[in-house]
Amino acid sequence: MHRYWNDPEHAACPVIVSFLEAWCEAMPDEQSRHWLPPLRDVVRNTRASATVQSVRCIQAMDWLVREYAPLWLDVDGRPQLVAHARSLRALPALSTTDDPFDVWMRSNLGPIVAAAGVLPDAQFDRVSRVADSTLHAMAGEQASVLGVAASQVIKSTAEGDGAGRAAAVAIGTDAALAEAWETVMSDALSIATGSMHGRILLAVHEGLSPRIEALVVPALERAGVDFSQARSEAQFDKAWRKVRRIAERAVDGDGALYDQAWQMGWDAISGAIEEAQSRAFELLVRMAEQR
């Protein structure tokens, strides 16, 4: 589509232009046609003083922390992360003189990032190996592996991350502000990415575990897998590696699983992506109204 914001006669604010350019790059064509044309007149003649531009950068920073990151924490759904989402939303709006906001952010975002980065299941933990059925534990691990693979593909193409990164690009037009808030920006984006990953992983694991068990467990039984002879940690690890190879071959033999994993992962986050786009649109309107 025509990038009207780059036309000199449109006189759009550089902060808004940077946001729109990055956002447009992250969206597929059908999304661009939906969200961008209605902003044509909204952002016209928004070029303003350096002070107004800085305020617009602060609006984008505030949005990243108090809207975008909490949205994805809620999507993950784990109680601890939902509580973190509430704490971020409860913060007062960021302003140029709001030191308490700054202090809170720098001391509290780190733990939230760490919590969002924790996988929402224990399939990679050794505890899962000594469940009631080691064969079923291996099937569960393969479901998690499939979820991780789906997540990596989805995250690399999901326009959901585009809105947050567009806000970061807009903030970057103010070099001093971007430098001062670099860690906070990075943390807010990491929260979103970690929560997206967790939701995709959990959706795939829950949705495909029964089917993967139906493939993996019989294959392991046919191979005569027996962990009872493992007398040491080294012997157990050797047997586990053998079992993993058998399980991987069983999963790889069903090519449709990967397509299903992608679809399940996408379905789990598509609503949140739509919400993120809508909130980014509203942010741009607020930025344009700032005079």
Side-chain angles (χ1 to χ4, degrees), residues 48-287:
S49 67
T51 299
V52 171
Q53 289 184 40
S54 292
V55 172
R56 286 170 174 161
C57 288
I58 290 171
Q59 286 178 302
M61 186 72 247
D62 182 78
W63 178 84
L64 261 183
V65 173
R66 296 198 306 126
E67 290 193 49
Y68 185 72
L71 184 156
W72 286 105
L73 289 168
D74 279 341
V75 167
D76 183 287
R78 284 173 283 171
Q80 180 188 11
L81 298 190
V82 172
H84 284 317
R86 286 196 298 268
S87 69
L88 290 179
R89 288 193 179 98
L91 288 170
L94 175 62
S95 72
T96 55
T97 60
D98 202 352
D99 289 337
F101 183 103
D102 181 68
V103 171
W104 191 98
M105 291 298 301
R106 295 180 190 280
S107 61
N108 287 275
L109 264 190
I112 299 177
V113 173
V118 174
L119 296 182
D121 64 81
Q123 294 302 327
F124 291 110
D125 195 291
R126 290 190 58 82
V127 174
S128 68
R129 301 188 189 182
V130 292
D132 292 339
S133 170
T134 307
L135 304 190
H136 286 274
M138 173 52 72
E141 182 188 87
Q142 289 303 305
S144 290
V145 169
L146 203 58
V148 171
S151 177
Q152 295 302 324
V153 173
I154 292 170
K155 286 193 300 179
S156 67
T157 59
E159 64 270 24
D161 260 351
R165 297 196 180 280
V169 170
I171 296 163
T173 60
D174 186 320
L177 185 64
E179 182 178 3
W181 287 86
E182 180 179 4
T183 300
V184 175
M185 280 194 297
S186 176
D187 284 350
L189 293 173
S190 294
I191 287 169
T193 301
S195 299
M196 181 189 293
H197 175 69
R199 184 68 193 97
I200 293 170
L201 180 58
L202 191 59
V204 173
H205 190 278
E206 291 178 343
L208 288 183
S209 282
R211 180 171 172 182
I212 292 175
E213 283 191 8
L215 288 171
V216 169
V217 173
L220 296 177
E221 290 174 341
R222 288 193 298 271
V225 172
D226 183 7
F227 282 89
S228 64
Q229 302 303 312
R231 303 301 182 192
S232 67
E233 183 80 6
Q235 289 176 340
F236 186 94
D237 285 342
K238 182 178 179 180
W240 187 261
R241 288 193 296 271
K242 176 183 177 181
V243 166
R244 180 178 286 136
R245 288 193 295 271
I246 296 170
E248 287 172 348
R249 286 197 295 270
V251 171
D252 288 343
D254 187 344
L257 275 174
Y258 290 90
D259 291 337
Q260 282 193 316
W262 186 94
Q263 190 61 56
M264 286 179 177
W266 179 254
D267 289 346
I269 65 167
S270 58
I273 286 177
E274 183 72 12
E275 180 67 17
Q277 302 291 56
S278 177
R279 294 190 186 188
F281 182 95
E282 293 168 358
L283 168 65
L284 283 163
V285 172
R286 294 197 300 271
M287 291 168 69

Side-chain angles (χ1 to χ4, degrees), residues 28-50:
D29 289 343
E30 65 272 15
Q31 289 278 328
S32 297
R33 288 191 293 269
H34 177 75
W35 292 110
L36 298 178
L39 288 167
R40 179 186 295 271
D41 291 333
V42 173
V43 305
R44 186 187 299 275
N45 296 322
T46 51
R47 190 172 297 154
S49 67

